[in-house]
Amino acid sequence: MANGTPILPASTNPNDFVIATIGSHSALQILKGAKDEGFKTLAICKKSTERVYDSRGYGVADEILTVDKFEDWNEALEEELIKRNAIIIPHGSFIAYMGHDRVKAMKAMYYGTKEILEWESDRNKERVWMEKSGLLLPKIYDDPEKIEKPVIVKFHGAGGGFGYFVAKTPEQFWEVKNKKHPNNSDYAIQEYIVGVPLYAHYFQSPITGELEILSFDKRYESNADSIGRIKAEDQLAANIHTSYTIVGNIPIVVRESLLPKFLEMGESVVKVSKEITANGKGLFGPFCLECIVTRKLEIYCFEISARIVAGTNPFIEGSPYTALKYDKPMSTGRRIALDIQQAIGAGQLEDILG
Ligand code: AMP
Ligand code: AMP
């Protein structure tokens, strides 16, 4: 599908623009942040979810467009957005529901580089990007028969960790695979890294040229985060398998001496992103490096999320890190709006649209 070509309005007043996103994931902070920076806001909602975003709920959306399913996104809806000078902010659910082809073909203004989505969503390309960036990576197994230590098995497109499992031998792998996923052979087998999960939330602004770390979180996953409440022998007796379904997010402040390494990792990922994208715009705006930190303080990165992650949601009032830098509460959602506001003011809107 051809890339959509946004039509750019000439105004330099934020109030002439609408910040729009799909009502889920991190829409509350995106829309709240946009209002704080002087924009009008719009949420595209499924029926019965509107009340979270409109004046009956948290009041972050000035306007709601209701759809039966997000997959129903069509030209008429996009026309409505274009008419309002809407800038769409993609988030995890947005990409999951829309699919990449539709995102690429979109004509409405879109914050971020569409091209980088290909690198993020294709496992092999993402691996190349991470390797070129010099990140420490878990080993990948191309053949289940080669499993010789604990691995985590991830099914492609698995929503929020659902269906992942851990195995330590080929036999264990096939037992769970055949029982739980008999018809799905689109999976990746990764070395299981023993350590603590840590998700680093970055922001790279094309306007200031700066890379910032805005916050960190860890995930609250069912049942991985409650399995320790059961004795090991009871787990075995009840035949409980670990699963990683995301339920929520917990804020983290990291040991201060880890910050230089995290900054270096983020810078390197951004630098390489410019080399691998044809237009050289690379990765900008919010992104996340999903990591596991071992007891030797090695930072393994197992995924790059090239957009706002929901782990930034605890920081609507800002994080300890943004408090150091800004004299107002700065969420990731608001940081996006600030970037757009500065781009509009400087007549550089094109630089932040994909
Ligand atoms: P939802 O709109 O909550 O059904 O989420 C749609 C997709 O967005 C999920 O399948 C996840 O991949 C992702 N997602 C939603 N919430 C979170 C979260 N708190 N952390 C990580 N991913 C999330
Ligand atoms: P993901 O959906 O890829 O973000 O992963 C979901 C969860 O699986 C993470 O929060 C971790 O708890 C766990 N996980 C993913 N990859 C690994 C790995 N290589 N080693 C250990 N745990 C992992």
Side-chain angles (χ1 to χ4, degrees):
M1 243 185 258
N3 269 4
T5 318
I7 303 139
L8 303 187
S11 168
T12 54
N13 180 356
N15 205 248
D16 290 336
F17 293 81
V18 170
I19 298 295
T21 197
I22 277 181
S24 193
H25 192 271
S26 45
L28 285 171
Q29 61 155 312
I30 291 173
L31 301 179
K32 162 86 166 70
K35 278 176 94 66
D36 289 342
E37 292 299 328
F39 290 97
K40 288 189 284 225
T41 57
L42 183 151
I44 301 144
C45 290
K46 275 197 291 206
K47 270 197 197 87
S48 83
T49 64
E50 301 99 325
R51 57 180 291 193
V52 176
Y53 304 95
D54 67 18
S55 55
R56 292 169 296 170
Y58 298 108
V60 294
D62 296 320
E63 191 185 357
I64 306 268
L65 294 180
T66 305
V67 293
D68 284 332
K69 316 193 273 308
F70 291 131
E71 291 81 355
D72 288 345
W73 184 284
N74 56 24
E75 274 186 27
L77 177 64
E78 225 180 299
E79 282 307 319
E80 290 300 316
L81 295 172
I82 293 170
K83 226 162 58 188
R84 291 166 174 76
N85 279 348
I87 301 176
I88 297 167
I89 313 296
H91 54 51
S93 309
F94 182 84
I95 307 285
Y97 295 130
M98 295 288 294
H100 288 169
D101 285 344
R102 265 195 300 184
V103 170
K104 261 189 173 173
M106 218 174 251
K107 291 201 179 58
M109 290 183 283
Y110 173 96
Y111 179 81
T113 312
K114 290 178 182 172
E115 208 188 327
I116 209 70
L117 294 177
E118 263 168 48
W119 286 87
E120 177 215 44
S121 64
D122 177 321
R123 242 185 254 134
N124 298 325
K125 285 181 132 180
E126 186 188 43
R127 184 92 184 168
V128 170
W129 180 10
M130 297 201 291
E131 276 172 0
K132 276 178 182 259
S133 304
L135 303 178
L136 191 57
L137 306 174
K139 181 176 162 187
I140 296 284
Y141 292 76
D142 53 8
D143 177 359
E145 298 311 321
K146 294 186 188 155
I147 297 174
E148 79 317 3
K149 58 178 176 175
V151 296
I152 181 161
V153 184
K154 303 180 177 188
F155 284 85
H156 191 62
F162 183 77
Y164 289 7
F165 66 88
V166 172
K168 66 171 190 301
T169 60
E171 294 70 34
Q172 270 185 356
F173 168 86
W174 288 116
E175 189 197 321
V176 184
K177 154 82 181 77
N178 291 337
K179 197 162 139 207
K180 299 253 170 89
H181 310 271
N183 303 316
N184 191 347
S185 49
D186 190 9
Y187 53 77
I189 305 175
Q190 249 180 30
E191 173 188 8
Y192 186 89
I193 307 295
V194 181
V196 290
L198 189 59
Y199 290 60
H201 315 142
Y202 296 87
F203 193 89
Q204 170 71 40
S205 167
I207 305 304
T208 65
E210 238 185 289
L211 177 77
E212 299 162 55
I213 289 180
L214 298 184
S215 46
F216 295 89
D217 82 300
K218 69 170 190 169
R219 292 176 163 194
Y220 196 45
E221 292 160 338
S222 188
N223 58 16
D225 286 309
S226 68
I227 222 150
R229 293 156 58 110
I230 308 172
K231 267 202 305 192
E233 60 219 67
D234 293 341
Q235 289 174 27
L236 291 175
N239 197 22
I240 296 171
H241 286 281
T242 317
S243 56
Y244 296 87
T245 303
I246 180 82
V247 177
N249 304 84
I250 304 168
I252 302 274
V253 173
V254 302
R255 189 170 164 170
E256 203 159 303
S257 54
L258 290 174
L259 286 176
K261 182 67 192 165
F262 272 109
L263 282 167
E264 195 185 295
M265 289 165 66
E267 273 160 7
S268 173
V269 163
V270 170
K271 182 167 170 275
V272 173
S273 76
K274 292 190 173 138
E275 294 161 14
I276 58 177
T277 44
N279 66 8
K281 272 188 168 183
L283 174 65
F284 65 82
F287 69 97
C288 172
L289 296 186
E290 308 190 352
C291 304
I292 309 271
V293 185
T294 69
R295 68 194 167 91
K296 293 182 187 158
L297 296 181
E298 299 151 319
I299 306 174
Y300 279 86
C301 179
F302 62 87
E303 203 167 309
I304 302 175
S305 262
R307 70 189 95 87
I308 185 169
V309 292
T312 58
N313 284 338
F315 306 105
I316 290 191
E317 276 294 296
S319 76
Y321 301 99
T322 62
L324 294 166
K325 192 172 162 76
Y326 295 95
D327 57 6
K328 51 189 176 187
M330 188 56 66
S331 67
T332 295
R334 186 165 185 180
R335 186 64 191 83
I336 296 171
L338 179 62
D339 209 39
I340 299 174
Q341 192 243 81
Q342 290 175 338
I344 291 171
Q348 283 178 259
L349 189 53
E350 207 173 330
D351 291 354
I352 55 148
L353 300 178

